[in-house]
Amino acid sequence: MTDAPAALWAETDLGAIRHNLRQLAGAVPGGPGRVMGVVKADAYGHGAVPVARVLVEEGAEVLAVAKLPEAAELRRSGVEARVLVLAAPLPEFLPAYERLGLEAVVSSAEVARAVIEAAPGVAAHVKVDTGMHRLGLAPADAPAAVRQLQAAGVTVAALWTHLATADAARPGFVLEQVRRFDAVVRDLGDEAPPLVHLANGPAHVRLPPLTSRPALVRLGGVLYGLASDRAMAGAMTGLRPALRLVARVVHLQTVDRGESVSYGQTWTAERPTRIATLAIGYADGLPRALSNRGEVGIGGARYPIVGRVCMDMTMVSLGAPGGAPVGVGDEAVVFGPGGPSAEDAARAAGTISYELATQIGARVPRRVLAEGG
């Protein structure tokens, strides 16, 4: 955050996040108390600390981050809620987990032994690899790890897995993953942990309940009104986007027919054209892939990006001189309310909205709308 004047900023609407959590939690057995609010990657680019405070105020039982420094930042900022670190911990990190009161993912027999030896006071979430093949114990090995931890006096808070296709157009593999997970739960019997968590945001909004056991629901991108796949869009009715990326117009000029704009002469005017230069470039998180493909919103109208996106500036075509009523200082919405949606911008760039939101540059000032919901 900075008090210096800025011609570019990212704006988080906490009221939208509060609204989204209330709507999503309404369909969770147990309500917000059975929600794990995922605030990794600076809350998907929205600001981890202010978002975490809203989620805790609304009753979310657990927060989740990807990396240990993210959890440490929450603790330094006074967030005292339960925090799960989703990464596989290196053994030398575990004393910090215990010191900060964090919960750890046990993703292998080696991690289970390290927790027992270095941080037996840490609550463990044992992860089962049911087919994502990223982290986790094989289903055949998970029961032994749970029993080993319990025998050593380690609290096993939950058993969990991650679904590979919940946001896909055909999420059929989810059923196979659930089958493999249920086999582990049956094997454990009365020794099974008190909670499981299988459903991420896409599974929660698109699929029927995946388990009858007491479960946490991990809500990430959907909390922020972001869709991870085109197949998700229709399932997110009523959720509000919580992020806007805004740049101001810093220069206006008219280029003649035959004149080019930006590096490489990749765009040439076919007629006299009014060009607006915006105070944003790829160093700020605007994908270079949007060169000659993206658009922005100015004054309720859409204007195409022309020429290559530069490191610090981007040009848009306003059409014929004397047409668009755009002036220096006007706001151009790169994505979010008033401009293209994050999903539309991401699709034009050949990526997903999560990447667009999380890659906003460190030099972009942040503004938080602290609406009370």
Side-chain angles (χ1 to χ4, degrees):
M1 302 290 290
T2 178
D3 293 327
L8 166 66
W9 63 91
E11 185 177 275
T12 297
D13 181 354
L14 294 180
I17 295 170
R18 197 182 299 271
H19 163 86
N20 293 343
L21 176 60
R22 289 176 180 177
Q23 176 162 318
L24 293 161
V28 175
R34 282 293 181 260
V35 165
M36 181 183 293
V38 182
V39 294
K40 64 180 181 176
D42 199 28
Y44 290 61
H46 292 67
V49 171
V51 169
R53 288 174 176 154
V54 165
L55 301 184
V56 172
E57 285 172 9
E58 289 293 317
E61 182 171 340
V62 188
L63 303 175
V65 296
K67 301 177 185 295
L68 181 56
E70 295 177 320
E73 179 191 8
L74 293 180
R75 291 293 188 243
R76 281 193 302 271
S77 301
V79 176
E80 298 178 354
R82 292 174 60 189
V83 177
L84 172 65
V85 181
L86 296 168
L90 294 174
E92 62 265 33
F93 294 175
L94 286 167
Y97 279 64
E98 199 164 42
R99 185 175 69 253
L100 294 169
L102 306 175
E103 302 183 15
V105 167
V106 171
S107 54
S108 67
E110 292 77 13
V111 172
R113 287 194 294 271
V115 168
I116 291 168
E117 294 170 4
V122 167
H125 293 238
V126 175
K127 185 168 189 182
V128 184
D129 181 2
T130 56
M132 182 83 166
H133 298 311
R134 186 171 64 176
L135 285 179
L137 289 136
D141 299 330
V146 170
R147 293 179 176 120
Q148 180 186 19
L149 290 162
Q150 291 173 333
V154 175
T155 298
V156 181
L159 190 74
W160 71 293
T161 193
H162 194 65
L163 304 174
T165 61
D167 58 356
R170 296 181 179 180
F173 184 54
V174 167
L175 299 180
E176 174 61 21
Q177 288 190 267
V178 172
R179 185 190 68 77
R180 296 173 185 177
F181 186 82
D182 284 345
V184 176
V185 175
R186 286 195 302 273
D187 188 319
L188 283 165
D190 292 341
E191 298 168 297
L195 284 173
V196 299
H197 45 104
L198 295 82
N200 53 9
H204 178 61
V205 302
R206 296 187 66 212
L207 304 176
L210 302 176
T211 175
S212 60
R213 291 183 56 81
L216 294 171
V217 176
R218 299 188 307 272
L219 299 180
V222 293
L223 275 176
Y224 312 105
L226 297 173
S228 54
D229 188 273
R230 192 175 302 186
M232 283 285 296
M236 294 179 61
T237 305
L239 300 183
R240 289 161 42 187
L243 186 65
R244 290 203 318 156
L245 182 59
V246 182
R248 296 178 73 185
V249 175
V250 295
H251 183 70
L252 290 166
Q253 63 178 304
T254 298
V255 299
D256 293 332
R257 179 179 180 277
E259 292 294 313
S260 61
V261 169
S262 197
Y263 292 114
Q265 296 186 306
T266 62
W267 182 89
T268 300
E270 296 180 353
R271 61 188 62 83
T273 303
R274 195 72 169 154
I275 300 293
T277 299
L278 310 181
I280 186 170
Y282 60 77
D284 304 301
L286 180 64
R288 195 167 181 265
L290 288 178
S291 302
N292 297 309
R293 298 182 63 184
E295 59 182 12
V296 303
I298 307 176
R302 300 288 182 87
Y303 299 100
I305 293 172
V306 294
R308 286 184 182 160
V309 172
C310 305
M311 181 181 289
D312 312 299
M313 289 174 278
T314 298
M315 280 64 71
V316 299
S317 169
L318 304 176
V326 173
V328 169
D330 285 357
E331 296 180 2
V333 180
V334 178
F335 63 80
S341 69
E343 286 70 33
D344 286 343
R347 193 174 304 121
T351 185
I352 64 172
S353 60
Y354 292 9
E355 183 175 1
L356 215 60
T358 59
Q359 289 197 352
I360 296 173
R363 70 180 184 177
V364 178
R366 302 297 181 128
R367 298 181 180 178
V368 176
L369 303 183
E371 176 197 348

